[in-house]
CSV table of all heavy atoms in Angstrom, one decimal:
chain,number,residue,atom,x,y,z
K,17,SER,N,-0.2,72.1,28.2
K,17,SER,CA,0.1,70.9,27.4
K,17,SER,C,-0.8,69.8,27.6
K,17,SER,O,-1.2,69.1,26.6
K,17,SER,CB,1.6,70.5,27.6
K,17,SER,OG,1.7,70.0,28.9
K,18,HIS,N,-1.2,69.5,28.8
K,18,HIS,CA,-2.2,68.4,29.1
K,18,HIS,C,-3.5,68.8,28.5
K,18,HIS,O,-4.2,67.9,28.0
K,18,HIS,CB,-2.2,68.1,30.6
K,18,HIS,CG,-1.1,67.3,31.0
K,18,HIS,ND1,-1.1,65.9,31.0
K,18,HIS,CD2,0.1,67.6,31.5
K,18,HIS,CE1,0.0,65.4,31.4
K,18,HIS,NE2,0.8,66.4,31.7
K,19,GLN,N,-3.9,70.0,28.5
K,19,GLN,CA,-5.2,70.4,27.9
K,19,GLN,C,-5.2,70.2,26.4
K,19,GLN,O,-6.1,69.7,25.9
K,19,GLN,CB,-5.5,71.9,28.2
K,19,GLN,CG,-6.8,72.4,27.7
K,19,GLN,CD,-8.0,71.7,28.4
K,19,GLN,OE1,-7.9,71.3,29.5
K,19,GLN,NE2,-9.1,71.7,27.7
K,20,ARG,N,-4.1,70.6,25.8
K,20,ARG,CA,-3.9,70.3,24.3
K,20,ARG,C,-4.0,68.9,24.0
K,20,ARG,O,-4.7,68.4,23.0
K,20,ARG,CB,-2.6,70.9,23.8
K,20,ARG,CG,-2.7,72.4,23.5
K,20,ARG,CD,-1.5,72.8,22.7
K,20,ARG,NE,-0.2,72.5,23.3
K,20,ARG,CZ,0.5,73.2,24.2
K,20,ARG,NH1,0.0,74.4,24.5
K,20,ARG,NH2,1.6,72.8,24.7
K,21,ASP,N,-3.3,68.0,24.8
K,21,ASP,CA,-3.3,66.6,24.6
K,21,ASP,C,-4.7,66.0,24.7
K,21,ASP,O,-5.2,65.2,24.0
K,21,ASP,CB,-2.4,65.9,25.5
K,21,ASP,CG,-0.9,66.2,25.3
K,21,ASP,OD1,-0.6,66.7,24.2
K,21,ASP,OD2,-0.1,66.0,26.2
K,22,TYR,N,-5.4,66.5,25.8
K,22,TYR,CA,-6.8,66.1,26.0
K,22,TYR,C,-7.7,66.4,24.8
K,22,TYR,O,-8.5,65.6,24.4
K,22,TYR,CB,-7.3,66.7,27.3
K,22,TYR,CG,-8.8,66.6,27.5
K,22,TYR,CD1,-9.4,65.3,27.8
K,22,TYR,CD2,-9.6,67.7,27.2
K,22,TYR,CE1,-10.8,65.2,27.9
K,22,TYR,CE2,-11.0,67.6,27.4
K,22,TYR,CZ,-11.6,66.3,27.7
K,22,TYR,OH,-12.9,66.2,27.8
K,23,GLU,N,-7.6,67.7,24.4
K,23,GLU,CA,-8.4,68.1,23.3
K,23,GLU,C,-8.2,67.3,22.0
K,23,GLU,O,-9.1,66.9,21.3
K,23,GLU,CB,-8.2,69.6,23.0
K,23,GLU,CG,-8.6,70.5,24.1
K,23,GLU,CD,-10.1,70.6,24.2
K,23,GLU,OE1,-10.8,70.3,23.2
K,23,GLU,OE2,-10.6,71.0,25.3
K,24,ALA,N,-6.9,66.9,21.7
K,24,ALA,CA,-6.6,66.1,20.6
K,24,ALA,C,-7.1,64.7,20.7
K,24,ALA,O,-7.7,64.2,19.7
K,24,ALA,CB,-5.1,66.1,20.4
K,25,ARG,N,-7.0,64.1,21.9
K,25,ARG,CA,-7.6,62.8,22.1
K,25,ARG,C,-9.1,62.8,22.0
K,25,ARG,O,-9.7,61.9,21.4
K,25,ARG,CB,-7.1,62.2,23.5
K,25,ARG,CG,-5.7,61.8,23.6
K,25,ARG,CD,-5.4,61.0,24.9
K,25,ARG,NE,-6.1,61.6,26.0
K,25,ARG,CZ,-5.5,62.4,26.9
K,25,ARG,NH1,-4.3,62.8,26.7
K,25,ARG,NH2,-6.2,62.8,28.0
K,26,LYS,N,-9.7,63.8,22.5
K,26,LYS,CA,-11.2,63.9,22.5
K,26,LYS,C,-11.6,64.1,21.0
K,26,LYS,O,-12.6,63.4,20.6
K,26,LYS,CB,-11.6,65.2,23.3
K,26,LYS,CG,-13.1,65.4,23.3
K,26,LYS,CD,-13.4,66.6,24.1
K,26,LYS,CE,-14.9,67.0,24.0
K,26,LYS,NZ,-15.2,68.2,24.8
K,27,GLU,N,-11.0,64.9,20.2
K,27,GLU,CA,-11.4,65.1,18.8
K,27,GLU,C,-11.2,63.8,18.1
K,27,GLU,O,-12.1,63.4,17.3
K,27,GLU,CB,-10.5,66.2,18.2
K,27,GLU,CG,-10.9,66.5,16.8
K,27,GLU,CD,-10.2,67.6,16.1
K,27,GLU,OE1,-9.5,68.4,16.9
K,27,GLU,OE2,-10.2,67.7,14.9
K,28,ALA,N,-10.1,63.1,18.3
K,28,ALA,CA,-9.8,61.8,17.6
K,28,ALA,C,-10.9,60.8,18.0
K,28,ALA,O,-11.4,60.1,17.1
K,28,ALA,CB,-8.5,61.3,17.9
K,29,TYR,N,-11.3,60.7,19.3
K,29,TYR,CA,-12.3,59.8,19.7
K,29,TYR,C,-13.7,60.1,19.1
K,29,TYR,O,-14.4,59.2,18.6
K,29,TYR,CB,-12.4,59.9,21.2
K,29,TYR,CG,-13.7,59.3,21.8
K,29,TYR,CD1,-13.8,57.9,21.8
K,29,TYR,CD2,-14.8,60.0,22.2
K,29,TYR,CE1,-15.0,57.3,22.3
K,29,TYR,CE2,-15.9,59.5,22.6
K,29,TYR,CZ,-16.0,58.1,22.7
K,29,TYR,OH,-17.2,57.5,23.1
K,30,LEU,N,-14.0,61.4,19.1
K,30,LEU,CA,-15.3,61.8,18.5
K,30,LEU,C,-15.4,61.5,17.0
K,30,LEU,O,-16.4,61.1,16.5
K,30,LEU,CB,-15.6,63.2,18.8
K,30,LEU,CG,-15.9,63.6,20.3
K,30,LEU,CD1,-16.1,65.0,20.5
K,30,LEU,CD2,-17.1,62.8,20.8
K,31,ARG,N,-14.2,61.8,16.3
K,31,ARG,CA,-14.2,61.5,14.9
K,31,ARG,C,-14.4,60.0,14.6
K,31,ARG,O,-15.1,59.6,13.7
K,31,ARG,CB,-12.9,62.0,14.2
K,31,ARG,CG,-12.9,63.6,14.1
K,31,ARG,CD,-11.7,64.1,13.5
K,31,ARG,NE,-11.7,64.4,12.1
K,31,ARG,CZ,-12.6,64.9,11.4
K,31,ARG,NH1,-13.8,65.1,11.9
K,31,ARG,NH2,-12.5,65.2,10.1
K,32,LYS,N,-13.7,59.2,15.4
K,32,LYS,CA,-13.8,57.8,15.2
K,32,LYS,C,-15.3,57.3,15.5
K,32,LYS,O,-15.8,56.5,14.8
K,32,LYS,CB,-12.8,57.1,16.1
K,32,LYS,CG,-12.8,55.6,16.0
K,32,LYS,CD,-11.7,54.9,16.8
K,32,LYS,CE,-11.7,53.4,16.6
K,32,LYS,NZ,-10.7,52.8,17.5
Side-chain angles (χ1 to χ4, degrees):
S17 66
H18 279 273
Q19 182 68 25
R20 276 193 306 269
D21 294 343
Y22 165 74
E23 294 290 336
R25 287 193 316 268
K26 179 180 174 183
E27 183 178 345
Y29 165 75
L30 291 175
R31 286 182 97 34
K32 184 177 179 182

